[in-house]
Amino acid sequence: MKENTIPQSRNDVSDRPPGKPPDRAGRPSDEPSDEVADRIARRALARRGAHYASEVRALLDAAREVMRRCGTGSRPRVADIVAAAGLSNEAFYRHFRSKDALVAAIMDDGAERLCGYLAHQMAKEPTPQGKVRRWVEGVLAQAMDEDTAATTLAVMWNAQSVGEGFLAGQPTIAGLLADLLCAPYTELGSADPDLDASLAAHATVGKLADHLWGRVPPTGADVDHVTRFCLRTVTPQGGEE
């Protein structure tokens, strides 16, 4: 009786190291099975994260629009916001513990957008004086366009109830805007660019609030005046004018 000399298949299970399934070419994989599971889980979480991010964006945009329509006469309900976003109450409370938390997020989102816009505009100017003017123009522009002014005022009005107004909260929007002035103020020779920028930002944001609440858009002359004021706030080295 002849001995069975038929060679085993390369894919025979007995040839595989334990815990290492073959790859597509039939070779044992060196990747532990838990790494495969982790990779699949990360992909699933990434898809869920992208979906959740789109929900948050929809809620922020819808809330901003509903607030604009309500103006300073009434505060929107959660039901109004989720309806405008095309979502459910469950989706809302998955991301925000309350309407106040949503308003705070809208303030953060608006501040981030404004700072990004201002930084882009300031980068177009080669001189520190030009950068300061671009900054003033961008801040006061929030009260120039009718729709933008109405939205900004409505958000400010809603934010008062949660202490997240333009002059409240940590950090304030004035503080974030001041950060953009530090570099040009340093170029202008400020002895204390952080303090000078903070003073200029709080004064400018206060003037913006006056225009919004008075429903009077700033003029070119207003921009010129505020720009000159901001440039004069630069404290020279030695503390002398």
Side-chain angles (χ1 to χ4, degrees):
M1 183 174 178
K2 293 184 178 181
E3 183 180 357
N4 187 354
T5 59
I6 299 176
Q8 289 183 316
S9 170
R10 291 183 179 180
N11 292 331
D12 193 293
V13 175
S14 62
D15 289 337
R16 302 174 195 158
K20 294 187 177 181
D23 61 14
R24 292 181 179 178
R27 297 183 296 271
S29 171
D30 291 329
E31 183 177 30
S33 58
D34 58 344
E35 290 188 13
V36 174
D38 288 345
R39 188 176 70 248
I40 294 173
R42 286 195 299 271
R43 284 202 299 262
L45 289 173
R47 287 193 296 269
R48 179 176 295 182
H51 175 67
Y52 283 174
S54 69
E55 286 186 344
V56 171
R57 173 49 57 195
L59 289 167
L60 292 174
D61 292 343
R64 192 179 290 108
E65 175 58 24
V66 174
M67 286 179 187
R68 186 192 67 80
R69 292 201 304 262
C70 293
T72 57
S74 63
R75 303 186 191 281
R77 303 172 303 163
V78 169
D80 300 326
I81 295 170
V82 297
L87 297 171
S88 63
N89 283 359
E90 179 184 358
F92 179 93
Y93 289 108
R94 176 160 51 239
H95 306 294
F96 303 103
R97 66 181 182 276
S98 66
K99 188 174 66 177
D100 287 351
L102 172 63
V103 174
I106 291 173
M107 292 295 296
D108 289 343
D109 183 54
E112 184 175 312
R113 289 185 175 193
L114 178 57
C115 287
Y117 168 76
L118 293 176
H120 177 71
Q121 295 301 311
M122 293 170 72
K124 298 177 181 179
E125 295 291 335
T127 66
Q129 293 88 344
K131 293 179 188 298
V132 172
R133 181 176 179 84
R134 288 275 191 168
W135 181 90
V136 172
E137 287 176 340
V139 173
L140 294 184
Q142 305 308 301
M144 291 180 182
D145 177 76
E146 185 176 353
D147 285 342
T148 300
T151 302
T152 304
L153 179 60
V155 172
M156 285 175 58
W157 185 75
N158 279 272
Q160 288 181 331
S161 65
V162 293
E164 294 287 348
F166 268 30
L167 303 179
Q170 290 293 331
T172 66
I173 189 171
L176 296 173
L177 295 176
D179 290 342
L180 296 171
L181 287 177
C182 288
Y185 274 26
T186 299
E187 290 185 65
L188 289 169
S190 170
D192 192 340
D194 290 338
L195 179 57
D196 289 345
S198 177
L199 293 172
H202 278 86
T204 305
V205 168
K207 190 60 182 172
L208 169 62
D210 288 344
H211 282 290
L212 290 169
W213 288 108
R215 292 173 172 80
V216 178
T219 64
D222 292 322
V223 172
D224 291 340
H225 191 100
V226 174
T227 300
R228 288 193 298 269
F229 170 83
C230 288
L231 291 173
R232 285 197 299 268
T233 61
V234 176
T235 304
Q237 299 290 338
E240 298 180 358
E241 294 290 343

